[in-house]
Amino acid sequence: MAKSTLDPETRLLYGDSLKAPFGYEFDGGIATTFSMDFETALAVPVSLALFSSKSRDEILEDPVTLLESAERTAEKLVVYVDAGQIHADVRQGSRLASLLEKAVLEVKAPNEGSFHPKLWALRFKPLDRDQPMRMRLLILSRNLTRDRSWDAAMCLDGERGTKPFASNKPLHDLLAALPGMAVGKIQDTRRALTLAIANDLRYVNWDRPPGCDAIEFHVNGVGSHGWKPTLSKRIAIMSPFVEPGALKYLTDLADQAPKLISRSDQLVCLPADVLDRFREVAVLDEMAETEDGEEPYRNEQQGLHAKIFIQEDGRDVRLTLGSGNATNSALLPGGRATSNVEVFATLHGLRRHLGGIDEILGETGFGRMTRTFQPDEVEPPDPADVSADQNLLQARRALARGALSLRCEAKEEDGAQRWKLWLVPPEGGLRLDKLGRLRAWPITLGEGHARGALAGIRSGSPIDLGTMALVDLTSFIAIEITDQATGRTELFSTGLTVEGMPEERDLAIFNHVIDSRQKFMAYLRLLLASFIDQPLPPLGQHGKGKGFWGSGAADAPLFEDLVRALCAGDGRLATVDRLIRRLSPETDAVAEDRVPAEFKELWQVFRTVLEASDAR
């Protein structure tokens, strides 16, 4: 029997969904997310730029690969995230995370709600110039984090043509509005890329999923193309977060409401008259939350996170998925002081092709992963904790929405140049009167370098975050805040504008990673890797060939890699030239030992050919 739409055994892997189609390479992309963590964000460029089959954890253990993929995508990717929702850790973070400073932009929703869309818009250019540009669209319920929750996603591919499609206008309007939501300064190149991708989306004819006759896109909180569900015979809802107003709004549009799937801690807060609107109320079975009893990794989230709304009208079905929960701020139309920015896609089709409520959420579909909700299985949340959560959220937003900045100063210490970092609050300070404590530290140094900052931020006085090496300078600051009434604590990170950031900081990070001949050769092979002619050399395995010229990948000589790159004429040799110049004694006094003499002699020949080619 064919699997139903959204069958739990049909998985879409995040990394695989970002890889370029065969014969294409990544050319630009925009991502939106409510929250993110640095480790997942660092792994993303590897999926975009390199055909790696390694797992996320294996990728994170290879700093050379992380560095190269980050540099390949440095000018091609922008990630927009809700201000105050970047995860932080008490441990010392990767210095490579600082390379995300230009790619990650924090934003705030226009109506003081949450910036909550989860979307990827990717552009791929053909290696054969006669082929058309292709685009990929991902609409998800998943954030850019390592959470292992049950999420729902839709992946569409299509060609960029010359005719605009009216159905794509909501997507265009969302992306075009993003630069205006930024809480800090946005570089002209990032703005231009965002607007270019927004314009490209208008001209894409998407390949529809099996069983789908038409697709509509909706964006709540931006423009006039919000999701406005119409009347139907039946409606079913899967949403981890729910509120009475939104559920009443949705069920009033249908004759019947067969099923609601949510979380116990949310359902226990609903009035009985709202629960009674549904024939069946269910939660995710505990056995479905983990695979083989695995424990979550640190703060890794599990459980239900998918948002799905299914409407039936006889033989016709409308299936809507995306970022929005069945909550008032996500769904209720008009007249609200606050509303979220959300993105949805609605698939239209026949029930026998697309599947209906009973097929998708029944015992043959996702329903087999659920069980009936028992109202007495959990206690309602303590009102004091709910109030504390709201206090902490307001403090996050006050701190992350452009109020703070950083100042960097050079300092001589024990004969070596160090750098002092100051956290600068706005003139007059911030009240933050519901906080009992606030600590801050650069993510590259960890909790051991935390400084108490609440008094300084309240008074408007700069806070000394300590002195550090150039390689540890970062605009990402971890902030720990504590609710005064309950003692509840939250930890997050935010990227701040830095006055006086040395231009050579990125080079210091580069030299920190490429600190030996072995790592130089590994980096060089990544630069030369051709994803059409040959597979990517195994990550983390360097120098297994014979002598200096062994490649570590089936003993293919490095000379042949250089010749392939020269013949391809695709810019790889120019990238190698920039690497050699970057590691020259003029820019780095200790770089000489990292570039083998044999390679430098050979490279002079290739550089001469390269310069002659440029002259023509």
Side-chain angles (χ1 to χ4, degrees), residues 16 124 172 297 300 304 364 381 499 533:
D16 289 348
F124 302 104
H172 165 271
Y297 175 81
E300 186 177 79
L304 183 69
T364 59
E499 177 188 346
D533 301 331

Side-chain angles (χ1 to χ4, degrees), residues 219-236:
V219 175
N220 290 6
V222 173
S224 57
H225 302 283
W227 182 43
K228 300 178 180 64
T230 55
L231 297 173
S232 61
K233 295 292 185 183
R234 306 172 79 212
I235 188 170

Side-chain angles (χ1 to χ4, degrees), residues 58 83 116 118 124 129 189 219 340 351 482 491 528 537 573 610:
E58 288 174 310
H116 203 247
K118 300 97 164 61
F124 302 104
R129 296 181 181 180
T189 54
V219 175
N340 294 352
R351 178 176 172 178
T482 302
L491 177 62
L528 291 172
L573 284 190
L610 189 64

